[in-house]
Amino acid sequence: MLKYLCQCLQTDGEIFYKSTRVSPGLLDKVYGITINVKPNPACEWAASDYTLPDDVSSAEPKLTNRMGITVEICTINGQKGQNLIDTRKLPPGTYIYSLTT
């Protein structure tokens, strides 16, 4: 399960940031975007199911390693679909999947 963190400014007059968990379902309601990557961990491939906001028709999924180096980037088109990632060519490790619209 993916967990999201949000850096939110306190509105009660205190000047500091606080990390809080954000539900992926909340992101769908607010931004109209969903992302689900499975299986996790991946052995030979990973499938990224996505839904984009109504006013967005393309996006760039990016896979980075734990050092922040981009190992794969592509362009997807359409409001809803699936992007397959061939993980056989990647060394074992932890990777971060992000989607830019």
Side-chain angles (χ1 to χ4, degrees):
M1 173 189 257
L2 296 175
K3 300 206 183 216
Y4 300 91
L5 293 177
C6 176
Q7 300 293 331
C8 303
L9 184 61
Q10 293 291 332
T11 57
D12 61 0
E14 296 185 32
I15 308 297
F16 62 89
Y17 288 87
K18 178 180 178 187
S19 293
T20 57
R21 291 182 190 265
V22 175
S23 166
L26 180 61
L27 293 175
D28 179 30
K29 289 178 185 175
V30 173
Y31 297 110
I33 189 168
T34 60
I35 306 166
N36 184 15
V37 181
K38 58 187 173 190
N40 187 6
C43 212
E44 295 180 3
W45 59 270
S48 165
D49 298 319
Y50 66 89
T51 302
L52 300 177
D54 291 336
D55 59 341
V56 177
S57 61
S58 66
E60 287 187 341
K62 181 169 65 170
L63 192 64
T64 56
N65 64 18
R66 65 184 180 143
M67 302 298 287
I69 299 170
T70 300
V71 295
E72 187 170 320
I73 191 167
C74 66
T75 300
I76 54 176
N77 295 301
Q79 295 289 163
K80 192 174 193 176
Q82 185 178 72
N83 181 42
L84 292 176
I85 303 164
D86 184 359
T87 59
R88 293 174 294 181
K89 61 186 175 183
L90 300 173
T94 303
Y95 293 89
I96 299 169
Y97 182 87
S98 61
L99 184 67
T100 304
T101 61

